[in-house]
Amino acid sequence: MAFKLGLFKTSVARKNVMAITGLFTAFFLIIHLAGNLILILPDSMFPIEFWGNVANQHDMYNAYSHFLVHFWPISIVAYILYAGLALHVVDAIIITLTNHKAKGEKYVKTDNSTSTWYSRNMGILGTIIGIFIVIHMGQFWLKYKVLGTEHDLYDLVVRTFKLTWVVVLYEIGIIALGFHLVHGFTSAHRSLGMYPKSWMKILKYIGVCFGIGMAVLYGIIPLIIYFQ
Amino acid sequence: MKITLKIWRQESAKAKGKLETYQLNEVEQDMSFLEMLDMLNEDLAVKGERSVEFDHDCREGICGQCSLVINGQAHGPESHYTTCQTHMRSFKDGDTIFIEPFRAKAFPVIRDLKVNRDSFDTIIQAGGYISAFTGNAPEANNIPIHHDISESAFDSAACIGCGACVATCKNSSAALFVSAKISHLAKLPQGKVERKERVEWMITAHDEEGFGSCTHTGACAMVCPQEVQLLDITRMNFEFNRALCIS
Ligand code: HEM
Ligand code: FES
């Protein structure tokens, strides 16, 4: 039988796109975190020796970011990531609009005890994350990679995280991300149909650990720099 | 006990509805919720007012006809109960109870608390069946089925098609309903003939009927009178992706 293109417009296929792009972004978050944890390694670890070079924290962070920008395979993955995130947002908007159309008149009395608030508000959490991503990329990616007005990324990061409003904004964005992931991680696996019961059971806990873990680890970076 | 009722009254699908307040003074704890509404309707009949219309049939939790969102919860405060199995002992003297119809675009209100759930039939007609030879019923033990599998298939088959999942879902998705049928038949050898097409047809019908998509909030499984599991939705998604891959 011919491959049916129409099936890609179904609600389940849409959720698959949501899940794949979401999980890909979530995977990126791990790598992104690993690099940025350099920022909060204790001073006692430096100078450090890697690949035959002796470096302090400042050099190591800048070498890492230089590598990200100039190593071409990473650029390709970065473009896939931008496209994936864009697709995630577009798909989120389409899904939200179709779901909105499916709703009947509003209930006068509602009882929300049957589900968690963050599972009901993935769109709002996502919008907060979206706004955060735009600001975040404007602060670092735009200045360092696109405009080239900043060359010392370590210095830029430390300067930026000395500003109170920036740290507050980051914490809000990161907490929203944590909740988005706690629901999104498990939901994505369900959307893709990974159903064996034993797996579903652990998955829920992996999702919670992943979401909270990401939020805590990302969350402490601006705080530590701010209070240093 | 004294009960104040705030009931959704609506003349027809097109008309605008609103909550009306009614007072009942002699409600007994042992009455079922629907008997309490019968009592109200007798009062209204005496006064010459139009009775409150609501769906019901078996009144023993098996037909799936009763609906109602009671105080914001589909089928009322007891989890995994139908409205007809809910009793007034779940409420206190002096309570105010909000009663609204199941709400979703795909469940238009017919009148008052009655909604049209034909969309569910359309979905079942799209693929919720199996192919079998006509003639005499075959010998039941001809096809050996593992006990666990038949039990699991039966858990999914238990869906009574009431639509509480849709009424509760923030997206008005019927994923739990569709997945119960898909899982029921996917688990059994009898369902294998249309295994691939069934999931495509039923999900397409689900979308065409105007239901939303599943966000896995899990609210549906919390209110389902038959305790159909959220896991069935995951299985349906697996069946869908399997069908996509082999087509
Ligand atoms: C770092 C960024 C992000 C990550 C890692 C991420 C991850 C995820 C994951 C894994 C899912 C689950 C997919 C599923 O339920 O099948 C999801 C769902 C969703 N995301 Fe994101 N997301 C991110 C950013 C955003 C942004 C910027 C938006 C919005 C504008 C957004 C909106 C949504 C929405 C609406 C859903 C669907 C909820 C649902 O219907 O279940 N996300 N996300
Ligand atoms: S009236 Fe039959 S299930 Fe409630």
Side-chain angles (χ1 to χ4, degrees):
Chain A
M1 196 176 292
F3 201 70
K4 292 189 224 70
L5 266 177
L7 289 181
F8 282 99
K9 290 201 197 124
T10 57
S11 50
V12 179
R14 288 234 164 88
K15 288 308 300 263
N16 278 331
V17 173
M18 217 54 210
I20 293 168
T21 53
L23 288 178
F24 185 69
T25 318
F27 176 69
F28 155 80
L29 284 179
I30 302 173
I31 317 279
H32 192 57
L33 177 68
N36 285 306
L37 283 176
I38 299 175
L39 288 167
I40 57 163
L41 292 176
D43 287 340
S44 56
M45 280 188 63
F46 295 99
I48 205 168
E49 200 193 317
F50 70 108
W51 291 334
N53 300 307
V54 178
N56 59 22
Q57 187 176 27
H58 194 131
D59 298 335
M60 186 166 165
Y61 188 73
N62 280 346
Y64 152 75
S65 41
H66 183 86
F67 169 75
L68 286 193
V69 173
H70 297 280
F71 189 53
W72 65 266
I74 294 206
S75 300
I76 295 177
V77 178
Y79 284 110
I80 298 176
L81 185 71
Y82 306 149
L85 203 56
L87 198 59
H88 188 81
V89 174
V90 171
D91 203 31
I93 294 169
I94 296 176
I95 289 178
T96 309
L97 290 180
T98 1
N99 287 347
H100 201 76
K101 259 202 278 177
K103 274 200 250 195
E105 207 164 323
K106 250 199 161 101
Y107 287 110
V108 179
K109 181 108 176 155
T110 45
D111 181 326
N112 285 328
S113 61
T114 45
S115 59
T116 55
W117 68 268
Y118 50 88
S119 72
R120 290 191 304 271
N121 291 296
M122 289 296 275
I124 293 173
L125 290 171
T127 309
I128 298 174
I129 304 168
I131 295 170
F132 167 75
I133 293 177
V134 171
I135 297 173
H136 173 59
M137 289 183 75
Q139 280 171 328
F140 302 122
W141 178 80
L142 186 72
K143 289 183 183 165
Y144 180 74
K145 191 173 168 182
V146 183
L147 301 177
T149 49
E150 297 278 351
H151 304 287
D152 188 339
L153 198 60
Y154 180 83
D155 187 54
L156 177 64
V157 171
V158 173
R159 257 189 291 133
T160 311
F161 285 161
K162 287 292 181 196
L163 305 170
T164 313
W165 71 269
V166 173
V167 176
V168 172
L169 189 98
Y170 271 64
E171 295 307 322
I172 295 172
I174 288 164
I175 291 169
L177 176 67
F179 280 111
H180 196 81
L181 286 175
V182 167
H183 180 70
F185 188 84
T186 322
S187 177
H189 286 80
R190 288 184 181 276
S191 294
L192 292 172
M194 306 195 176
Y195 76 83
K197 202 170 193 160
S198 47
W199 169 234
M200 276 325 305
K201 259 190 209 142
I202 350 171
L203 196 67
K204 205 169 142 190
Y205 299 108
I206 302 178
V208 174
C209 294
F210 181 68
I212 295 178
M214 283 292 146
V216 169
L217 290 172
Y218 270 111
I220 57 173
I221 298 176
L223 285 178
I224 289 180
I225 297 179
Y226 183 73
F227 288 112
Q228 233 166 25
Chain B
M1 24 190 230
K2 285 190 171 50
I3 297 285
T4 307
L5 298 169
K6 299 224 176 249
I7 302 182
W8 187 262
R9 302 300 306 262
Q10 181 172 341
E11 256 331 291
S12 64
K14 294 260 157 56
K16 236 182 107 57
K18 65 171 195 312
L19 285 180
E20 295 279 1
T21 310
Y22 301 95
Q23 188 72 41
L24 285 179
N25 294 327
E26 280 161 25
V27 175
E28 278 166 38
Q29 291 216 316
D30 296 337
M31 281 179 169
S32 78
F33 197 83
L34 296 184
E35 280 167 346
M36 185 274 294
L37 287 178
D38 292 339
M39 189 183 196
L40 170 70
N41 278 342
E42 281 169 20
D43 277 7
L44 291 177
V46 170
K47 287 189 209 152
E49 291 176 34
R50 184 169 70 72
S51 57
V52 175
E53 297 197 16
F54 58 90
D55 277 319
H56 63 103
D57 188 12
C58 70
R59 296 205 178 194
E60 56 184 358
I62 52 172
C63 74
Q65 263 302 304
C66 57
S67 52
L68 308 188
V69 171
I70 303 165
N71 284 340
Q73 279 189 296
H75 287 311
E78 305 295 334
S79 44
H80 310 306
Y81 270 47
T82 54
T83 294
C84 59
Q85 290 172 299
T86 302
H87 282 73
M88 294 312 292
R89 53 180 165 269
S90 304
F91 301 90
K92 292 192 311 293
D93 185 33
D95 272 1
T96 299
I97 306 175
F98 285 77
I99 310 175
E100 297 175 70
F102 278 3
R103 295 195 188 283
K105 271 279 155 58
F107 287 172
V109 172
I110 299 170
R111 191 180 242 187
D112 297 339
L113 303 169
K114 254 182 175 160
V115 296
N116 183 340
R117 283 169 279 182
D118 283 357
S119 44
F120 267 17
D121 297 335
T122 311
I123 294 174
I124 293 295
Q125 281 157 9
Y129 53 80
I130 57 160
S131 289
F133 291 116
T134 52
N136 289 342
E139 162 58 39
N141 292 324
N142 268 356
I143 306 170
I145 301 172
H146 193 289
H147 177 73
D148 292 349
I149 293 177
S150 73
E151 282 296 316
S152 162
F154 195 72
D155 288 344
S156 303
C159 170
I160 54 176
C162 62
C165 43
V166 177
T168 303
C169 177
K170 85 183 222 323
N171 304 327
S172 300
S173 168
L176 196 67
F177 168 75
V178 180
S179 70
K181 187 50 65 203
I182 286 171
S183 301
H184 161 209
L185 297 176
K187 287 168 190 169
L188 296 174
Q190 289 88 339
K192 294 285 183 279
V193 182
E194 291 95 359
R195 180 173 176 188
K196 181 175 147 300
E197 288 83 2
R198 175 178 304 111
V199 64
E200 299 175 356
W201 291 335
M202 288 184 77
I203 287 173
T204 307
H206 167 274
D207 294 356
E208 281 172 2
E209 288 301 307
F211 293 101
S213 64
C214 172
T215 309
H216 305 290
T217 68
C220 52
M222 297 288 286
V223 299
C224 175
Q226 297 297 332
E227 300 185 47
V228 172
Q229 304 273 309
L230 205 55
L231 196 66
D232 277 352
I233 298 183
T234 314
R235 185 187 295 269
M236 168 178 80
N237 295 337
F238 169 79
E239 289 292 322
F240 180 84
N241 286 335
R242 176 184 173 276
L244 260 191
C245 292
I246 60 179
S247 68

